[in-house]
């Protein structure tokens, strides 16, 4: 499959994530859109890694480096989401809303 298909799909996913972050006010949906953008970048990383030829001297299979890197990115993203959701739960317990516009009023 040509790399162009992966690029178009990742661009569409990233664009949906950007629009979601900029237009939505619910903190949970904003986190989901950020994860969507992160996964679109992971898709491109794996696609470009698969294009790399196999190294016969090091006896590696093509694409394993990118997949390993994506695995570590997903582990860090899972930790980020758990911390973010904990912050959202505490925000909901204190102010009974998950609207991110309300956070601007908490500055003063």
């Amino acid at each position: 499959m040509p790399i162009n298909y992966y690029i178009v799909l990742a661009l569409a996913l990233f664009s949906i994530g950007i629009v979601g972050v900029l237009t939505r006010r619910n903190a949970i949906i904003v986190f989901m859109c950020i994860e969507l953008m992160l996964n679109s970048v992971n898709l491109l990383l794996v696609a470009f890694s698969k294009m790399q030829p196999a190294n016969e001297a090091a006896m590696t299979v093509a694409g394993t480096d990118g997949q390993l890197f994506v695995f570590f990115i997903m582990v860090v993203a899972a930790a980020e989401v758990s911390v973010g959701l904990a912050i959202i739960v505490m925000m909901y317990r204190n102010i009974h809303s998950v609207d991110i516009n309300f956070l601007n009023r908490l500055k003063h």
Side-chain angles (χ1 to χ4, degrees):
M1 183 179 283
I3 193 77
N4 296 337
Y5 296 146
Y6 294 112
I7 293 173
V8 169
L9 178 63
L11 182 65
L13 290 174
F14 197 82
S15 300
I16 291 169
I18 290 269
V19 168
V21 166
L22 294 178
T23 59
R24 297 298 185 147
R25 296 295 166 231
N26 190 343
I28 296 173
I29 294 176
V30 169
F31 272 123
M32 286 182 1
C33 290
I34 290 171
E35 288 297 319
L36 188 65
M37 291 188 298
L38 188 64
N39 285 331
S40 71
V41 172
N42 285 342
L43 174 69
L44 277 182
L45 187 61
V46 169
F48 284 131
S49 176
K50 201 66 173 167
M51 298 289 292
Q52 177 185 3
N55 189 354
E56 300 293 330
M59 298 178 61
T60 60
V61 180
T64 56
D65 296 336
Q67 290 175 4
L68 186 64
F69 195 60
V70 165
F71 175 73
F72 286 119
I73 290 173
M74 292 181 90
V75 167
V76 170
E80 168 197 346
V81 166
S82 65
V83 169
L85 286 177
I87 291 171
I88 290 172
V89 167
M90 290 307 295
M91 183 176 81
Y92 184 76
R93 284 184 183 176
N94 290 333
I95 59 176
H96 301 290
S97 175
V98 289
D99 187 18
I100 58 175
N101 284 333
F102 190 76
L103 294 176
N104 289 333
R105 290 182 264 168
L106 295 176
K107 284 193 260 183
H108 304 297

